[in-house]
Amino acid sequence: MTSPYGLDGRVALITGGTRGIGLAVAGALAGAGARVCVTARDPEGVRRAAETLGGVGLAGSVADPAHLSALTEFTLDAFGRLDIVVNNAATNQPYGPLMDADPDAWREAFTMNVEAPLRLTQHAWRAWMRDHGGTVVNICTEGATHVGPNIGAYGTSKAALLHLTRQLAGELAPRVRVNSVSPGLVRTEMARFVWEHGVDAGLPLGRIGEPEDIARAVLWLASDAAEWVTGTDLLVDGGTRVRPARTATTYTVHEHLRLHEPT
């Protein structure tokens, strides 16, 4: 019996695919049989990831519309098809109160976190998915539905990405399924200050997440096991939303968290 999680013969494109959640997602999809293409800004990181995954990669910024067009063509030239798009690359800047936010940094957050996923989905749709079908998975965040100190631009842009996910799911059905995954606290470089200081106390499942936890969720949504699922957001947060209360320590750490450069 063929596994519904198998991706043999399919091709996946993952943005921000050279580290953390993106690399774990690329590894999970490749492990299920997909051929993968990764992109990120660092050429050496792209080279290493592509070599490790047995796939291909193209360096560049998702904020550059020309790169997204070239990336789609590059993937099709390499593999002849494009079945899965995972929009993972993002920026958490500008950090701080919104009243102090630099307008250019605010626009960049929306360019990377909302506009880039839309543009890449448009390219994939026009080049392959409109005629052949496919799956899009957007990486969002557990914090997109509530207020947090100093990360208003990130949270607002990811809330927009949640709505974009639902909108595209309605517009692209039935040929293309569009879903999102919202991670809680995951052991990545961008969240190092949080988990190194032990701010995982009180999580119902007793630990913070690992990139592989998110990757398995993406694999499910990208596979035929989820063939009747579209327009949904899969919360993968270790039970963050159901713990009794957030401690003052949690907020103190977030107030001092300095976030990573965009991938």
Side-chain angles (χ1 to χ4, degrees), residues 54 123 157 226 262:
H123 287 304
S157 64

Side-chain angles (χ1 to χ4, degrees), residues 4-246:
Y5 298 97
L7 300 176
D8 290 343
R10 300 184 202 182
V11 172
L13 171 56
I14 302 96
T15 68
T18 62
R19 61 182 182 179
I21 290 172
L23 182 58
V25 167
L29 300 183
R35 293 169 292 174
V36 298
C37 176
V38 297
T39 188
R41 296 187 307 167
D42 174 29
E44 180 59 23
V46 169
R47 186 196 66 77
R48 288 196 303 267
E51 183 177 294
T52 298
L53 296 163
V56 299
L58 184 67
S61 172
V62 299
D64 178 8
H67 173 63
L68 297 178
S69 177
L71 181 63
T72 305
E73 293 179 9
F74 176 80
T75 306
L76 287 167
D77 287 344
F79 297 125
R81 58 190 298 155
L82 178 51
D83 306 283
I84 301 164
V85 169
V86 181
N87 288 301
N88 171 68
T91 181
N92 319 68
Q93 301 295 337
Y95 177 86
L98 290 183
M99 293 301 97
D100 299 329
D102 176 74
D104 290 336
W106 168 267
R107 281 190 290 271
E108 183 179 2
F110 280 82
T111 296
M112 290 196 66
N113 299 352
V114 187
E115 182 180 325
L118 173 59
R119 284 184 179 272
L120 187 54
T121 302
Q122 287 175 330
H123 287 304
W125 166 260
R126 293 164 184 163
W128 179 263
M129 292 184 178
R130 174 169 49 195
D131 295 327
H132 304 280
T135 302
V136 177
V137 182
N138 298 321
I139 305 301
C140 198
T141 176
E142 181 271 334
T145 59
H146 58 77
V147 174
N150 295 329
I151 54 173
Y154 181 67
T156 304
S157 64
K158 288 295 190 176
L161 182 60
L162 278 179
H163 187 79
L164 178 65
T165 298
R166 293 189 291 266
Q167 183 69 33
L168 290 177
E171 291 189 11
L172 304 188
R175 300 305 301 274
V176 177
R177 296 186 297 107
V178 186
N179 295 288
S180 61
V181 174
S182 284
L185 177 59
V186 177
R187 198 185 308 275
T188 62
E189 283 301 311
M190 68 169 285
R192 175 176 289 276
F193 185 85
V194 181
W195 53 260
E196 277 193 339
H197 286 75
V199 185
D200 56 351
L203 281 177
L205 295 187
R207 65 172 177 84
I208 66 172
E210 301 294 340
E212 291 73 20
D213 292 312
I214 311 306
R216 286 188 288 268
V218 174
L219 173 59
W220 178 69
L221 287 172
S223 74
D224 290 342
E227 66 178 356
W228 207 53
V229 179
T230 196
T232 194
D233 178 55
L234 182 56
L235 183 64
V236 186
D237 69 346
T240 299
R241 298 264 184 94
V242 298
R243 63 183 174 182
R246 297 190 177 204

